[in-house]
């Protein structure tokens, strides 16, 4: 098997799985209970939270555990709207956001909120002047992801944060899911941030919403004690401890991992550029982990399943997207044909050059066969 869909989900690290199993067996108490078993479980959660906070450069009390980035994104948006509704009814975002941002905003638009989409430059980066011009006294929230999951465009959160710092009533949220474990993050100027453990070799069903201490949210799950007042329910020591382990391991030898991925990216881009049927949609502001391409006249689903016959796995677009085309590719290229035929290849430090060579050989053969079949 050749797995090239790491941006959709990563395989859990063996040490992470072992942590989950050991904690599940040895910390069986409810962390909300007052007896020794409960206190042991709570102490483990507290130690895990401290490690997570230290790695991400935030405070322990700013960590809210969720089921994943989708829940975190929804909790951030609706939590702000409910708690700060008197401040205004305008939200600013981009056309590059994940569906768990776009869909809640579409819902709010039907409820009377004004959703503004900031202009992007030719590389897909936020136009700071346009962002400034779109801000009004009615703006309550700006939500812009750190990295787009389809084309890999990286935004400058620090520049955006510096601009928004001049507007203290505006809350700045970022979906940092595709950044965590791939780069060091400075969240100083971000008020809310969402992430998911499954993107850095952790377990599915485990996410985090970072909420800075000066921000207040309406509780999004009500009904009992937990690690915070914002999401009630019995916390899972096993999931939290394994997420802490996954995060620590993700940042071990980070520079070496980054260098390997850059080398693989350079090789892959060079070889893909030689295939005349392929258009590369990713650009110099895309992270090296994500390479988005289009193969005109071949449906992306057709190519995906053709590669699957050889146990090679890529994706057509973000796994959660409901669109039939890539909104991100269309936003950046302005070309509907490219957005209708886009494919995402996402690599990891676990990827080998041998795997990419085999992928390229199979891809060329599949293009030849599918092109002949379409005539």
């Amino acid at each position: 098997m050749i797995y090239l869909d790491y941006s959709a989900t990563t395989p859990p690290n063996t040490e992470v799985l072992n942590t989950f199993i050991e904690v599940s067996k040895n910390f069986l108490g409810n962390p909300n209970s007052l007896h020794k078993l409960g206190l042991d479980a709570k102490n483990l959660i507290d130690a895990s939270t401290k490690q997570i906070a230290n790695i991400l450069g935030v405070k322990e009390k700013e960590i809210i555990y969720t089921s994943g980035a989708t829940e975190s994104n929804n909790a951030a948006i609706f939590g702000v709207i409910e708690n700060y509704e008197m401040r205004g009814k305008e939200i600013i975002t981009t056309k590059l956001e994940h569906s768990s941002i776009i869909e809640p905003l579409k819902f709010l638009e039907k409820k009377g909120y004004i959703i503004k989409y900031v202009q992007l430059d030719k590389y897909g980066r936020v136009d700071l002047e346009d962002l400034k011009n779109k801000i009004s006294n009615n703006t309550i929230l700006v939500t812009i992801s750190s990295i787009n999951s389809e084309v890999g465009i990286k935004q400058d959160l620090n520049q955006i944060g510096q601009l928004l710092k001049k507007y203290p009533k505006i809350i700045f949220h970022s979906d940092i899911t595709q950044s965590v474990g791939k780069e060091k993050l400075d969240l100083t100027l971000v008020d809310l941030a969402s992430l998911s453990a499954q993107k850095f070799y952790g377990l599915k069903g485990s996410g985090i919403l970072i909420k800075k201490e000066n921000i207040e949210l309406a509780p999004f799950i009500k009904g009992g004690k937990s690690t915070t007042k914002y999401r009630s329910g019995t916390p899972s020591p096993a999931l939290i401890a394994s997420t802490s382990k996954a995060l620590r391991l993700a940042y071990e030898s980070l520079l070496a991992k980054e260098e390997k991925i850059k080398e693989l990216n350079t090789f892959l881009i060079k070889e893909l550029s030689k295939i005349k049927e392929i258009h590369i949609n990713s650009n110099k502001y895309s992270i090296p982990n994500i390479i988005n391409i289009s193969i005109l006249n071949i449906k992306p689903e057709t190519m995906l399943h053709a590669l699957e016959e050889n146990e090679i796995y890529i994706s057509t677009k973000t796994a959660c997207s409901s669109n039939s085309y890539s909104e991100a590719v269309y936003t950046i290229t302005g070309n509907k044909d490219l957005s209708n035929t886009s494919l995402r290849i996402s690599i990891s430090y676990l990827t080998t050059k041998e795997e990419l060579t085999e992928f390229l050989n199979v891809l060329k053969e599949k293009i030849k066969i599918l092109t002949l079949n379409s005539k």
Side-chain angles (χ1 to χ4, degrees):
M1 180 184 78
I2 298 176
Y3 186 71
L4 300 173
D5 199 18
Y6 287 93
S7 290
T9 194
T10 54
N13 187 294
T14 301
E15 290 185 55
V16 172
L17 286 171
N18 290 340
T19 294
F20 182 84
I21 293 168
E22 289 304 309
V23 172
S24 295
K25 288 194 295 187
N26 298 323
F27 291 83
L28 56 91
N30 186 322
N32 295 331
S33 297
L34 297 179
H35 52 60
K36 183 181 182 302
L37 293 179
L39 291 175
D40 287 346
K42 182 183 182 302
N43 289 337
L44 178 66
I45 287 176
D46 290 344
S48 299
T49 302
K50 184 175 182 179
Q51 179 169 268
I52 290 169
N54 286 339
I55 293 171
L56 296 176
V58 299
K59 297 177 180 178
E60 294 164 55
K61 60 185 175 182
E62 295 176 338
I63 301 287
I64 303 170
Y65 293 108
T66 69
S67 63
T70 291
E71 182 185 338
S72 295
N73 285 336
N74 275 260
I77 291 169
F78 291 111
V80 167
I81 293 305
E82 188 174 341
N83 198 69
Y84 295 98
E85 59 183 345
M86 299 306 293
R87 286 190 183 179
K89 301 195 75 170
E90 288 185 1
I91 301 170
I92 300 174
T93 189
T94 78
K95 291 281 189 178
L96 297 180
E97 303 309 304
H98 189 268
S99 57
S100 60
I101 298 287
I102 296 297
E103 293 305 318
L105 295 185
K106 286 181 179 178
F107 172 83
L108 288 170
E109 196 168 32
K110 292 177 182 176
K111 298 293 182 181
Y113 282 82
I114 298 168
I115 311 302
K116 295 179 178 178
Y117 294 92
V118 67
Q119 291 179 12
L120 308 171
D121 66 18
K122 65 179 181 179
Y123 297 109
R125 303 259 285 180
V126 167
D127 183 327
L128 292 174
E129 192 61 32
D130 185 62
L131 175 57
K132 182 179 178 180
N133 291 337
K134 280 188 165 59
I135 291 172
S136 75
N137 291 331
N138 202 30
T139 305
I140 183 174
L141 174 68
V142 172
T143 176
I144 296 172
S145 60
S146 59
I147 294 172
N148 166 262
S149 60
E150 291 190 45
V151 190
I153 305 299
K154 180 180 175 180
Q155 303 295 342
D156 191 329
L157 295 187
N158 196 47
Q159 278 193 347
I160 296 169
Q162 287 287 355
L163 171 60
L164 296 177
K165 192 177 178 182
K166 300 172 185 176
Y167 305 89
K169 289 187 177 180
I170 296 176
I171 294 169
F172 180 25
H173 167 255
S174 182
D175 181 345
I176 60 170
T177 305
Q178 294 294 340
S179 290
V180 179
K182 298 184 179 79
E183 60 176 356
K184 284 288 185 181
L185 287 162
D186 181 2
L187 300 175
T188 306
L189 298 174
V190 177
D191 298 311
L192 297 162
S194 307
L195 58 121
S196 181
Q198 73 176 71
K199 306 295 185 178
F200 49 88
Y201 312 93
L203 300 178
K204 297 177 182 67
S206 181
I208 291 171
L209 173 62
I210 297 167
K211 181 201 71 67
K212 294 298 180 65
E213 61 181 338
N214 62 312
I215 302 297
E216 191 55 50
L217 296 178
F220 48 98
I221 296 183
K222 305 171 180 67
K225 187 179 177 184
S226 188
T227 57
T228 71
K229 66 180 182 180
Y230 303 101
R231 188 186 194 269
S232 297
T234 305
S236 167
L239 274 179
I240 291 170
S242 61
T243 296
S244 177
K245 174 67 73 69
L247 192 62
R248 179 176 66 77
L249 293 174
Y251 280 102
E252 281 186 358
S253 307
L254 183 62
L255 287 176
K257 292 172 183 174
E258 288 177 337
E259 285 304 311
K260 180 182 179 183
I261 291 168
K262 286 177 184 176
E263 289 177 12
L264 292 173
N265 174 278
T266 299
F267 168 73
L268 187 55
I269 292 289
K270 180 182 177 183
E271 296 304 313
L272 287 170
S273 300
K274 296 176 183 177
I275 305 173
K276 62 181 177 62
E277 293 89 352
I278 287 179
H279 181 279
I280 298 173
N281 300 314
S282 295
N283 59 50
K284 65 180 183 179
Y285 288 108
S286 299
I287 61 169
N289 308 66
I290 296 174
I291 303 96
N292 191 292
I293 65 173
S294 291
I295 308 173
L296 295 176
N297 303 318
I298 297 177
K299 291 181 178 179
E301 293 81 5
T302 302
M303 178 56 76
L304 183 148
H305 292 305
L307 292 170
E308 189 178 27
E309 292 171 357
N310 293 67
E311 294 191 337
I312 297 173
Y313 299 94
I314 63 173
S315 66
T316 56
K317 54 185 179 295
T318 291
C320 300
S321 174
S322 59
N323 287 337
S324 59
Y325 66 97
S326 169
E327 181 74 51
V329 172
Y330 182 68
T331 297
I332 292 166
T333 66
N335 187 312
K336 209 59 179 279
D337 290 334
L338 292 177
S339 68
N340 279 327
T341 56
S342 71
L343 295 162
R344 182 185 67 183
I345 305 153
S346 47
I347 60 177
S348 155
Y349 70 92
L350 298 175
T351 307
T352 67
K353 190 173 180 180
E354 290 71 26
E355 286 178 327
L356 293 183
T357 300
E358 176 64 15
F359 160 67
L360 288 162
N361 290 336
V362 173
L363 179 65
K364 292 173 191 173
E365 187 62 29
K366 298 295 184 183
I367 289 174
K368 190 183 298 182
I369 293 169
L370 293 172
T371 302
L372 284 172
N373 289 345
S374 65
K375 291 181 179 179

